């Protein structure tokens, strides 16, 4: 599903430049649930943003679902993001003046889906994350865990190939974090490929594979015995 | 533009951000409102000044005499100059082809007027038939004096509307009634109105021949009044009238033995010259209001740009989110512009309709000196609204463009 070879990324600030990713090689197959770990500043988010086409690499090869991702212009990047990817952020990033339902329906609007169908699909995913009753509430009326579940529903709405989650549980307490992980495991069980950035070991143990980053390189990449979040809930 | 989905998205955004929508709209609407009211008052002032010029024909030349100020050919200064019938006859004949209307005037400043038990004191003016047109007087009853009255020394009068109200108390038909002026009977043959109002309507006209004979005027005249036939352009007419005044002065100075450089003995007033100045003034007033208006528009444009800047900045994160979930850059710019144009258009037209409505309804009743019926050209007002909408769109475009250029990852970064 994802193949990257020798990926480099530097940030330039005035005369300083910071080499963040120093040659990452990394494959993800369809249906995997991978966690990316590492200390703060190791480049986890940078890597995920490049994979998510929110940012561009300086050098290296990236193939997503057999499509080489390079020389992206804004238009094509937007199209690929809409078709291939779903994002889940630490700070939820819901549009605050739109109801849960409208937030979930947003990717479908940009996909050109008609309103009626959009709302039906959005409702279906809200049911899936257990928030059918909250569909007309604004984000400000929802708890952190509920917001993240709305965000997950939104990421799923356009039926993307890969879900990318950057510290999806970073802003949540332990119990809520496990609920969110249970949801993510359920989605993975249905076959969706998911990448999760985290620095919490218990969260990483709930995935099927842990990739460890340090100073811009992968120092460890191992399969793990998945811990089911439902055991804790 | 005609994408229903886009319209729904925009209505939703606007209705869920009511305060922002309202404030943007308010600033646009009030800008247009102020502009229309200003332009309306500029127009009203121009109307008011024009009105001042309506009481007499606008190309009138009026002549009077005073005392000489310079010694000339052995004659002392301080000598009163008296015009006589032959002066008028000479000028009337010589300039026959150039003159449109002409009249000599002999005046009794205070004529004691009696009718039955009513009495009053009015100016009595002995005039020629043309004087009606020089004065812009309108006949409401009967007729003005004519050359038959003049040649027959008829004791007939045309009274002003005000005189009629005061002497006849509006009860009776004054036509063919006899009134006494300084004890002498005159027959009323007409009633006139004058755009100059009450002051101009409290006069009584009679043939100059009659006035001179009855009031011991002999062949003396007080004033000359002329209008010239208009030429093709205002400037040519003005030039001709100035030349006429010059030649007439020369003639009068010569026959009355006045020093050619004596400026005070013969007085002339050329309405055309004065109105040229006033039209210049009207131009200046209009220019001033336009200037203020354009400044208002500029302030409005700056205001709208500012609001757009703030709105876009406030929505940077939202734009980042929309991009992350697959919005095309142009769809976001389009959305922001569409919103901006929609809000400025609605607000602009609201301001336009409210202000023009106010002018339409209250303008005619407004009682401010020198302001008459303030109104505004609809096309002008419409253009300003369109300018403001365009300006809002352009002003919105640049921040929108910049916001879209920001990488989603930067727009989404937590503070
Ligand atoms: N836009 C940027 N400009 C300059 N430097 C940046 C930028 N984004 C990230 N960095 C730097 O790159 C390095 C890697 O950042 P990154 O966000 O990928 O770390 P991370 O592994 O996600 O850390 P954390 O666990 O704290 O989220 C950091 O040193 C960071 O300061
Ligand atoms: Mg990070």
């Amino acid at each position: 599903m994802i193949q990257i070879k020798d990926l480099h990324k530097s940030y330039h600030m005035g005369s300083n430049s910071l080499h963040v990713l120093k040659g990452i090689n990394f494959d993800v197959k369809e249906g995997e649930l991978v966690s990316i770990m590492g200390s703060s500043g190791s480049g986890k988010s940078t890597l995920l943003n490049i994979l998510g086409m929110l940012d561009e690499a300086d050098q290296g090869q990236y193939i997503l679902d057999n499509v080489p991702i390079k020389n992206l212009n804004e238009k094509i990047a937007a199209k690929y993001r809409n078709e291939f990817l779903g994002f889940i952020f630490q700070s939820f990033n819901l549009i605050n003046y739109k109801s849960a339902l409208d937030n979930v329906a947003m990717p479908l609007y940009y996909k050109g889906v008609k309103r009626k169908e959009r709302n039906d699909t959005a409702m279906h995913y809200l049911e899936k994350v257990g928030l059918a009753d909250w569909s007309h509430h604004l984000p400000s009326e929802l708890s952190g865990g509920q917001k993240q579940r709305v965000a997950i529903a939104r990421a799923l709405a356009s039926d993307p190939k890969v879900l990318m989650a950057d510290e999806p549980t970073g802003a949540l307490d332990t119990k809520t974090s496990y609920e969110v992980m249970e949801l993510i495991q359920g989605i993975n069980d249905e076959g969706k490929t998911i990448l999760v950035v985290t620095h919490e070991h218990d969260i990483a143990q709930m995935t099927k594979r842990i990739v460890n980053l340090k100073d811009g390189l992968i120092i460890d990449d191992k399969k793990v015995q998945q811990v089911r979040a439902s055991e804790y809930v | 533009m005609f994408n229903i989905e886009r319209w729904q998205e925009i209505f939703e955004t606007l209705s869920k951000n009511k305060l922002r929508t309202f404030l943007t709209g308010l600033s646009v609407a009030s800008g247009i409102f102020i502009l229309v009211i200003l332009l309306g008052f500029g127009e009203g002032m121009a109307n008011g000044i024009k009105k001042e010029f309506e009481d007499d024909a606008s190309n009138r030349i009026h002549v009077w005499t005073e005392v000489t100020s310079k010694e000339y050919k052995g004659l002392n200064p301080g000598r009163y100059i008296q015009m006589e019938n032959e002066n008028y006859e000479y000028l009337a004949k010589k300039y026959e082809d150039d003159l449109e209307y002409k009249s000599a005037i002999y005046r009794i400043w205070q004529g004691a007027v009696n009718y039955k038990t009513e009495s009053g004191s009015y100016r009595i003016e002995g005039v020629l038939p043309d004087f009606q047109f020089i004065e812009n007087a309108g006949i409401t009853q009967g007729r003005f004096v004519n050359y038959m009255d003049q040649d027959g020394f008829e004791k007939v009068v045309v009274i002003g509307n005000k005189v009629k109200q005061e002497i006849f108390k509006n009860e009776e038909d004054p036509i063919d009634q006899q009134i006494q002026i300084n004890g002498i009977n005159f027959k009323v043959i007409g009633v006139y109105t004058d755009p100059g109002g009450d002051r101009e309507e409290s006069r009584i006209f009679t043939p100059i021949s009659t006035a001179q004979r009855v009031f011991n005027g002999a062949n003396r005249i007080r004033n000359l009044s002329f209008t010239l036939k208009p030429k093709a352009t205002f400037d040519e007419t003005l030039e001709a009238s100035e030349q006429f005044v010059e030649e007439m002065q020369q003639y009068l100075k010569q026959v009355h033995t006045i020093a050619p450089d004596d400026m005070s003995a013969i007085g002339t007033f050329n309405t055309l010259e004065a109105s040229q100045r006033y039209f210049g003034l009207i131009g200046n007033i209009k220019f001033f209001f336009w200037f203020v208006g354009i400044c208002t528009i500029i302030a409005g444009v700056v205001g709208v740009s500012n609001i757009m800047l703030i709105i876009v900045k406030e929505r940077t994160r939202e734009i980042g989110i929309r991009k992350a979930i697959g919005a095309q850059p142009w769809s976001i710019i389009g959305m922001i512009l569409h919103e901006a144009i929609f809000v400025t258009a609605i607000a602009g037209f609201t301001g336009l309709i409210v202000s023009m409505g106010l002018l339409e309804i209250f303008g005619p009743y407004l009682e401010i000196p020198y302001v008459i019926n303030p109104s505004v050209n609809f096309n002008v007002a419409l253009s300003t609204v369109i300018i403001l909408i365009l300006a809002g769109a352009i002003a919105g475009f640049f921040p929108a463009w910049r916001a879209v250029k920001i990488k989603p990852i930067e727009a989404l970064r937590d503070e």
Side-chain angles (χ1 to χ4, degrees):
Chain A
M1 180 62 73
I2 291 174
Q3 291 140 291
I4 53 177
K5 274 206 189 79
D6 197 29
L7 203 71
H8 284 263
K9 175 76 183 177
S10 303
Y11 287 113
H12 304 277
M13 289 157 295
S15 54
N16 295 15
S17 96
L18 184 67
H19 203 171
V20 180
L21 299 182
K22 298 170 180 166
I24 305 276
N25 295 290
F26 175 54
D27 280 10
V28 179
K29 285 191 236 353
E30 186 163 4
E32 278 199 276
L33 173 53
V34 183
S35 59
I36 300 168
M37 291 200 70
S39 56
S40 184
S42 55
K44 306 184 293 289
S45 297
T46 306
L47 176 60
L48 196 76
N49 290 335
I50 290 171
L51 295 180
M53 286 178 261
L54 295 171
D55 204 350
E56 261 190 295
D58 299 331
Q59 194 189 316
Q61 209 181 47
Y62 172 22
I63 296 170
L64 174 63
D65 196 31
N66 298 322
V67 180
I69 306 298
K70 59 179 179 188
N71 302 329
L72 283 183
N73 66 30
E74 283 277 355
K75 252 177 103 168
I76 295 173
K79 187 166 171 288
Y80 284 176
R81 282 197 293 264
N82 190 248
E83 282 178 9
F84 294 153
L85 303 169
F87 292 98
I88 301 163
F89 303 93
Q90 176 173 1
S91 49
F92 322 127
N93 281 332
L94 299 174
I95 292 176
N96 55 19
Y97 62 83
K98 284 182 177 287
S99 69
L101 185 75
D102 289 342
N103 263 291
V104 176
M106 277 298 273
L108 299 169
Y109 171 75
Y110 287 114
K111 216 173 182 172
V113 178
K114 290 271 168 285
R115 190 180 182 80
K116 175 81 176 61
E117 193 187 332
R118 222 155 65 205
N119 286 345
D120 290 348
T121 311
M123 199 62 206
H124 166 75
Y125 283 104
L126 272 181
E127 272 164 22
K128 200 177 168 80
V129 299
L131 287 175
D133 294 342
W134 298 83
S135 61
H136 292 289
H137 287 252
L138 292 176
S140 57
E141 296 159 355
L142 302 175
S143 73
Q146 288 172 324
K147 279 188 224 181
Q148 197 59 297
R149 283 193 279 164
V150 172
I152 290 169
R154 180 180 65 185
L156 289 172
S158 58
D159 193 22
K161 301 216 180 302
V162 182
L163 274 193
M164 309 242 171
D166 193 350
E167 315 224 15
T169 60
L172 306 174
D173 63 27
T174 313
K175 184 171 172 292
T176 322
S177 296
Y178 292 163
E179 284 167 8
V180 166
M181 280 316 289
E182 192 189 4
L183 194 59
I184 287 175
Q185 285 177 339
I187 294 161
N188 176 247
D189 291 345
E190 290 171 16
K192 189 113 3 213
T193 314
I194 305 176
L195 296 181
V196 180
V197 164
T198 184
H199 56 253
E200 292 164 274
H201 281 282
D202 50 346
I203 299 297
Q205 293 301 326
M206 292 176 181
T207 65
K208 294 173 175 168
R209 175 179 161 194
I210 300 178
V211 174
N212 237 309
L213 273 188
K214 192 177 180 202
D215 294 334
L217 285 169
I218 295 178
I219 52 162
D220 187 29
D221 184 346
K222 59 170 192 280
K223 295 236 159 45
V224 292
Q225 183 58 44
Q226 187 181 32
V227 177
R228 297 301 296 192
S230 51
E231 289 170 25
Y232 294 91
V233 180
Chain B
M1 237 334 148
F2 300 103
N3 182 341
I4 292 260
E5 299 280 325
R6 167 78 78 73
W7 279 106
Q8 281 169 339
E9 176 71 15
I10 281 166
F11 279 128
E12 216 164 286
T13 306
L14 290 178
S15 64
K16 292 197 172 144
N17 294 281
K18 285 197 185 66
L19 184 66
R20 188 173 79 195
T21 308
F22 174 75
L23 290 178
T24 315
L26 188 70
S27 68
V28 172
S30 58
I32 290 288
F33 182 87
I34 291 169
L35 178 83
V36 169
I37 297 287
L38 263 176
L39 291 183
F41 269 78
E43 192 66 33
M45 273 179 95
N47 288 345
I49 289 169
K50 258 186 224 150
K51 178 84 171 32
E52 291 295 298
F53 271 84
E54 275 172 11
D55 23 332
D56 297 324
S58 63
N59 53 348
R60 179 181 185 175
I61 293 162
H62 189 69
V63 185
W64 67 93
T65 51
E66 289 177 23
V67 297
T68 55
S69 64
K70 287 199 159 76
E71 189 244 289
Y72 187 59
K73 289 191 176 166
L75 295 168
N76 285 331
R79 181 170 51 98
Y80 181 74
I81 300 302
Q82 179 64 61
M83 288 188 286
E84 290 170 350
N85 283 350
E86 54 262 36
N87 297 150
Y88 167 77
E89 278 151 19
Y90 174 84
L91 287 167
K93 198 165 181 63
K94 180 164 183 207
Y95 295 99
E96 199 174 6
D97 294 339
D98 303 316
L99 293 172
E100 185 183 26
Y101 299 117
K102 48 192 184 287
S103 177
I105 300 147
Y106 177 72
R107 182 179 298 113
I108 311 292
W109 284 105
Q110 289 183 321
V113 177
N114 288 291
Y115 172 72
K116 293 185 180 165
T117 55
E118 304 293 338
S119 64
S121 171
Y122 302 98
R123 240 161 86 184
I124 315 297
E125 306 208 322
V127 297
L128 288 168
D130 278 2
F131 199 66
Q132 178 192 351
F133 306 107
I134 299 176
E135 272 289 314
N136 254 2
I139 296 296
T140 54
Q141 277 178 278
R143 61 173 180 87
F144 203 71
V145 298
N146 61 26
Y147 279 103
M148 258 145 59
D149 304 326
Q150 164 74 7
D151 295 340
F153 300 91
E154 302 293 345
K155 282 184 268 181
V156 292
V157 289
V158 180
I159 61 174
N161 207 30
K162 176 90 164 141
V163 179
K164 176 190 163 188
Q165 283 167 18
E166 289 176 356
I167 298 292
F168 290 92
K169 298 289 176 204
N170 268 342
E171 286 167 12
E172 290 173 61
D173 180 7
I175 302 296
D176 289 338
Q177 300 293 329
Q178 296 285 331
I179 61 171
Q180 288 85 48
I181 302 176
N182 292 356
I184 298 154
N185 275 329
F186 283 82
K187 188 172 78 172
V188 178
I189 55 164
V191 179
Y192 73 90
T193 58
D194 192 303
D198 280 359
R199 187 176 52 85
E200 300 256 289
E201 286 180 357
S202 7
R203 291 177 296 174
I204 295 175
F205 297 126
T206 186
I208 187 168
S209 58
T210 317
Q212 284 172 335
R213 175 176 289 184
V214 173
F215 303 115
N216 303 320
N219 62 350
R220 297 194 293 272
I221 53 181
R222 277 301 310 145
N223 304 111
L224 303 172
S225 255
F226 302 106
T227 65
L228 287 168
K229 288 180 185 150
K231 297 265 197 289
T233 67
F234 180 88
D235 288 338
E236 282 177 55
T237 313
L238 180 67
E239 200 182 326
S241 76
E242 280 169 346
Q243 194 191 342
F244 170 72
V245 169
E246 180 67 33
E247 289 177 16
M248 178 181 61
Q249 288 229 16
Q250 266 175 25
Y251 159 74
L252 288 173
K253 282 175 179 171
Q254 193 207 322
V255 296
H256 293 286
T257 329
I258 305 166
D261 58 346
D262 189 333
M263 301 316 282
S264 66
I266 310 284
T268 54
F269 182 80
N270 188 346
T271 314
L272 217 50
E273 231 170 26
S275 63
Q276 187 198 25
R277 250 174 282 144
Y278 274 94
F279 283 123
L281 180 64
I282 290 173
N284 286 345
I285 290 172
K286 282 195 173 169
F287 173 79
F288 171 75
F289 278 99
W290 266 109
F291 178 75
V292 176
I294 285 167
C295 289
T296 315
I297 284 283
I298 291 172
V301 169
V302 172
V304 170
S305 324
N306 251 328
I307 293 168
M308 289 311 299
L309 208 70
I310 293 168
I311 287 177
V312 170
K313 197 160 176 89
E314 199 181 275
R315 296 176 74 175
T316 305
R317 193 179 185 87
E318 180 193 332
I319 291 169
I321 297 171
R322 283 176 187 268
K323 284 180 77 176
I325 59 180
Q328 296 288 336
W330 276 105
S331 91
I332 289 175
I333 294 175
M335 175 184 78
I336 291 174
L337 290 191
H338 203 152
E339 273 182 44
I341 291 171
F342 183 69
V343 172
T344 41
I346 296 285
F349 284 114
T350 306
L352 183 73
I353 289 164
V354 170
S355 53
M356 292 201 66
L358 279 181
L359 285 182
E360 277 301 309
I361 294 166
F362 295 109
Y365 300 106
L366 213 65
E367 283 184 21
I368 302 175
Y370 293 104
V371 176
I372 293 171
N373 195 14
S375 58
V376 94
N377 183 322
F378 183 74
N379 288 336
V380 169
L382 192 67
S383 327
T384 54
V385 173
I386 290 169
I387 289 174
L388 212 60
I389 293 170
L390 283 181
I394 294 168
F397 176 79
F398 290 101
W401 177 255
R402 221 170 42 211
V404 164
K405 283 285 141 210
I406 299 174
K407 283 193 217 157
I409 183 64
E410 275 160 44
L412 291 175
R413 179 170 296 137
D414 295 300
E415 254 67 49

